[in-house]
Amino acid sequence: MAKARYPLNQSPFYKLLGKAKLAATLGVDLRRLDRLLSPKSYHVWETEKGREIQQPIGWLAQVHKRISFLFARIDLPDYVFSQKGRSYADNARQHVGVHPLAKTDISKFYPSTTRHMVWDMFVTQFLCAEDVAGILADICCYKQQHLPTGSPLSGRIAFFAARPMFDDISKLAEEAGNKMTLYVDDVTVSGSQATKSFLSNVRRIIRRYGLKTKNAKSRTFASHASKMVTGVVVTGDKVALPNSRHKKIWSLKHEIRAASRRDRPKLLRALKGRESEARTVVNGTRGS
């Protein structure tokens, strides 16, 4: 049975004023905080594309998992689609129809979410005591500087730290008669007023909050154009997988025909996953 969601003011972090209550909430002996915050509590490596991943390990990983679990139970605004029960395809499906569309995303969202932003979130939104907020910000942030790129808590903490900004964008869209959705760091707006001028205003709001967007990932689309939204092609009232994903399915089928008996089961599982994904995108239902 799924755990019930609750409003922010019902969170265990709300009005957390004492260190003893903080220690009980996290299951952490604060006398051992130095050990918890040691650089050795992270495994750090680079991806093939040169992106640094900072992954909490050991005791810190358990504490991050605990914080992530508690944040995952807080209600989110309806415009957020990166949450349980929704998918990137559901996000794209919100923007079907013959109308313009504008999109952008936050550059380096997690590394750009600073310790001060996390501290401010705990103080202004959760009404924590300042020293408690400081400890929480230190625990959440890599080297006590910014959110780590490989932690389960980063997505939800980054959202709440930037929530005033996303709420401002949502309000701007609503006032213009547009629809806005958010999927992690992808902001998509559709409607008759989703123009280049509107997109410029969105990017201006993001800059005002100290975050950045890239020109290459900030685009507008005409009403009848095919639009790529969180990896899904939206054309009129229809959604579809992009050609690149169809090609991967086609390639997997050819690999399976030529594969050895030992390799076939792994490839078949991969094919089943991709075909299930395709059904999810097109039909809005998960394949069995």
Side-chain angles (χ1 to χ4, degrees), residues 40-68:
K40 295 180 181 178
S41 293
Y42 282 92
H43 173 49
V44 181
W45 76 97
E46 280 194 4
T47 66
E48 291 180 358
K49 294 184 178 180
R51 179 171 177 253
E52 184 175 279
I53 305 297
Q54 306 113 14
Q55 179 185 15
I57 57 176
W59 185 27
L60 184 62
Q62 295 173 21
V63 176
H64 275 213
K65 187 176 180 181
R66 170 70 176 164
I67 295 172
S68 174

Side-chain angles (χ1 to χ4, degrees), residues 19 97 201 211 216 219 285:
K19 292 181 182 178
N201 289 335
L211 297 172
R219 296 188 58 192
T285 56

